[in-house]
Amino acid sequence: MPNIDLPLDELKKYRGTNPTPLNMFEFWQESLDELRETEAGVVITPAEFQTPLCDCYDLTFKGIDNEKIYVKMLLPKNISKPVPALVEFHGYGGNGGDWSRRMVYPASGIAYFAMDCRDQMGKSGDEYFRTGNLVRGLLEGPKKSYYRKVYLDAVRLLDIIFQMKDVDRTRISTLGYSQGGAISLVSAALENRVFKVFAVYPYLSDFKRVWNLDLGDFAYQELRDFFRWYDPQHKNENKFFETLGYIDVKNFVENIKGEVTMVTGLMDRICPPSTQFAVYNNIKSKKEHIIYPDFGHENINGLEDLIYQWALNLLK
């Protein structure tokens, strides 16, 4: 079997390298308390895009810093009793995609939500960054981290959905690829009423391991850029990786209560396999790890159909 990382038997035991801050729990509890002291400002309006298969809405709310966050909301037609909900988070530098891409879920009886991450290439925020967000705000400390805000945006969206009368609050689940996989896991850890999680090759994990491997392309290039521009002699290397620990997915997942399905390609050079196994091996709830030995950070044959079948189980 081709191998770009640890052997599979070692991957199955690996739990991570990047440090976990000593006040990790307190930091995030304070962040959640701060979030819930701010006004959500929810607005729901019919979307311009409509289809006979479901009802489409634009949903907006305010983030912790008053930033406007945009969500596509697709509901089944003629809801007579509360339905399951699926919340999807997109990959790095993207957006929630076209309306027609996910109509299969509401057409099957599942409420579907797609959040545009702030200041990427969607309708959330007022800036546009395809990259640079990983290290954005870190010089000012973990409270100013870009991903602290994004994780809290995801939690606020879940809070909103949990309050919707047409949604079965016992069957709200999260889904995502790469950055979206990371957010789907972290949001389920911070709001652990989430029923199930499906995370495909999650990003934002075990940063020191990525650095040591020098395997991270594209998104993790920012680690190298940060040192070259702001700390060329690595005088503050330990502090840098500890600060990243506040947003490291592997440091959250032990708090997940719902069932987790994770997908990893063993040829992934964007999010190295060991960084993903560090996430999976720290999950304590019921879980399943689906391994694709010959795939990297790419579209995987048959995976969309597998996810759809997984989602249909939310109806049972």
Side-chain angles (χ1 to χ4, degrees), residues 19 51 143 195 224 266 284 288:
T51 168
K143 195 168 183 179
F195 180 49
R224 184 181 297 111
L266 295 184
K284 296 181 177 179
E288 177 185 10

Side-chain angles (χ1 to χ4, degrees), residues 38-44 59-63 66-69 156 160:
T38 62
E39 175 61 41
V42 180
V43 177
I44 299 175
L59 185 158
T60 61
F61 63 87
K62 295 178 182 179
N66 213 39
E67 190 81 274
K68 187 177 82 169
I69 308 301
R156 170 147 283 170
I160 292 165

Side-chain angles (χ1 to χ4, degrees), residues 265-314:
L266 295 184
M267 299 303 292
D268 195 332
R269 294 178 179 273
I270 305 296
C271 297
S274 55
T275 70
Q276 299 181 47
F277 275 84
V279 171
Y280 186 80
N281 293 336
N282 281 291
I283 296 169
K284 296 181 177 179
S285 62
K286 185 178 179 181
K287 59 185 178 180
E288 177 185 10
H289 204 172
I290 302 172
I291 306 298
Y292 290 87
D294 304 308
F295 284 85
H297 213 80
E298 59 187 311
N299 292 332
I300 297 176
N301 295 334
L303 182 56
E304 286 287 321
D305 289 344
L306 189 154
I307 292 173
Y308 176 62
Q309 293 294 325
W310 167 85
L312 288 182
N313 287 323
L314 303 178

Side-chain angles (χ1 to χ4, degrees), residues 8-256:
L8 185 57
D9 59 341
E10 293 184 35
L11 288 173
K12 290 180 177 180
K13 296 180 286 187
Y14 178 74
R15 297 174 66 88
T17 299
N18 202 80
T20 303
L22 294 177
N23 68 333
M24 178 82 179
F25 175 82
E26 291 80 8
F27 175 84
W28 279 102
Q29 187 57 56
E30 290 172 3
S31 296
L32 291 172
D33 292 343
E34 182 182 345
L35 176 72
R36 284 158 181 156
E37 289 172 0
T38 62
E39 175 61 41
V42 180
V43 177
I44 299 175
T45 56
E48 181 178 351
F49 180 91
Q50 292 296 332
T51 168
L53 297 179
C54 61
D55 294 325
C56 301
Y57 299 90
D58 296 320
L59 185 158
T60 61
F61 63 87
K62 295 178 182 179
I64 194 169
D65 56 352
N66 213 39
E67 190 81 274
K68 187 177 82 169
I69 308 301
Y70 174 79
V71 181
K72 288 183 174 72
M73 181 171 77
L74 291 76
L75 299 182
K77 291 280 188 180
N78 305 314
I79 295 175
S80 59
K81 63 178 182 179
V83 298
L86 182 60
V87 187
E88 183 167 6
F89 303 102
H90 62 78
Y92 194 24
N95 58 43
D98 292 343
W99 291 93
S100 57
R101 177 174 167 264
R102 287 295 185 248
M103 287 191 298
V104 62
Y105 293 112
S108 301
I110 301 167
Y112 174 84
F113 302 80
M115 185 184 87
D116 285 356
C117 291
R118 56 172 61 215
D119 297 338
Q120 294 191 26
M121 304 309 291
K123 297 181 179 180
S124 296
D126 55 9
E127 297 181 282
Y128 303 93
F129 294 91
R130 288 214 66 195
T131 61
N133 292 311
L134 171 58
V135 297
R136 193 173 167 193
L138 287 184
L139 286 173
E140 300 176 73
K143 195 168 183 179
K144 295 294 184 180
S145 165
Y146 169 82
Y147 278 108
R148 173 181 179 264
K149 298 173 186 177
V150 172
Y151 292 165
L152 292 175
D153 293 340
V155 171
R156 170 147 283 170
L157 174 57
L158 287 171
D159 285 348
I160 292 165
I161 296 168
F162 271 108
Q163 296 175 44
M164 291 184 172
K165 64 180 179 62
D166 288 331
V167 170
D168 180 350
R169 65 183 60 188
T170 70
R171 292 182 177 270
I172 297 172
S173 299
T174 60
L175 162 67
Y177 289 67
S178 194
Q179 172 187 258
I183 300 169
S184 69
L185 289 159
V186 171
S187 60
L190 294 173
E191 174 41 273
N192 59 22
R193 291 178 293 171
V194 167
F195 180 49
K196 292 186 178 183
V197 181
F198 201 114
V200 181
Y201 39 66
Y203 174 47
L204 300 172
S205 172
D206 206 11
F207 303 100
K208 189 68 178 288
R209 174 68 177 169
V210 175
W211 176 259
N212 290 339
L213 282 173
D214 195 27
L215 272 179
D217 296 330
F218 181 55
Y220 285 121
Q221 173 68 33
E222 297 170 34
L223 300 178
R224 184 181 297 111
D225 291 344
F226 185 90
F227 282 120
R228 286 171 62 88
W229 284 99
Y230 297 110
D231 189 16
Q233 296 182 34
H234 286 238
K235 293 180 178 179
N236 297 304
E237 179 178 318
N238 290 340
K239 180 180 179 182
F240 174 66
F241 284 111
E242 182 177 345
T243 303
L244 282 169
Y246 288 97
I247 62 167
D248 189 331
V249 178
K250 71 174 178 58
N251 294 341
F252 289 86
V253 293
E254 67 177 25
N255 291 321
I256 293 174

